[in-house]
């Protein structure tokens, strides 16, 4: 088999959207990794450190925890 790629979905994702003088942070995080609110707060802290606008504008956030049950495998043949 050639060009087979199997990718674990990882820990989830966070998306920071900036528009003018406001921003919105949203995303999904794996509940097996982010087992408490402290872990979610740590992820928010990393985003805050990476984004220069996060501290300057009002940034509400909506983050949901999910439980991974499976993932789709695609090898490019179908």
């Amino acid at each position: 088999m050639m060009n087979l790629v199997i990718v674990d979905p990882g820990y989830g994702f966070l998306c920071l959207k900036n528009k003018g003088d406001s921003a919105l942070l949203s995303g999904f995080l794996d509940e097996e990794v982010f087992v408490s609110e402290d872990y979610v707060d740590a992820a928010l802290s990393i985003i805050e450190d990476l984004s220069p606008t996060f501290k300057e504008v009002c940034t509400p956030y909506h983050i949901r925890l999910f439980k991974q049950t499976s993932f789709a495998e695609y090898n490019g043949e179908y």
Side-chain angles (χ1 to χ4, degrees):
M1 204 172 243
M2 296 180 62
N3 299 326
L4 175 65
V5 178
I6 299 174
V7 179
D8 186 348
Y11 305 123
F13 73 92
L14 294 174
C15 178
L16 178 61
K17 298 176 185 176
N18 291 313
K19 185 173 183 181
D21 60 348
S22 63
L24 175 65
L25 179 65
S26 61
F28 296 91
L29 298 174
D30 189 344
E31 69 180 18
E32 289 186 11
V33 176
F34 296 86
V35 295
S36 73
E37 193 66 31
D38 291 337
Y39 289 123
V40 176
D41 290 341
L44 291 174
S45 178
I46 291 170
I47 296 296
E48 183 177 323
D49 292 341
L50 292 175
S51 172
T53 60
F54 192 88
K55 296 176 188 176
E56 297 172 5
V57 298
C58 176
T59 308
Y61 64 90
H62 178 73
I63 298 170
R64 298 208 43 163
L65 299 179
F66 71 93
K67 182 173 186 168
Q68 179 177 300
T69 57
S70 66
F71 61 93
E73 180 180 322
Y74 176 67
N75 66 9
E77 291 185 10
Y78 40 88

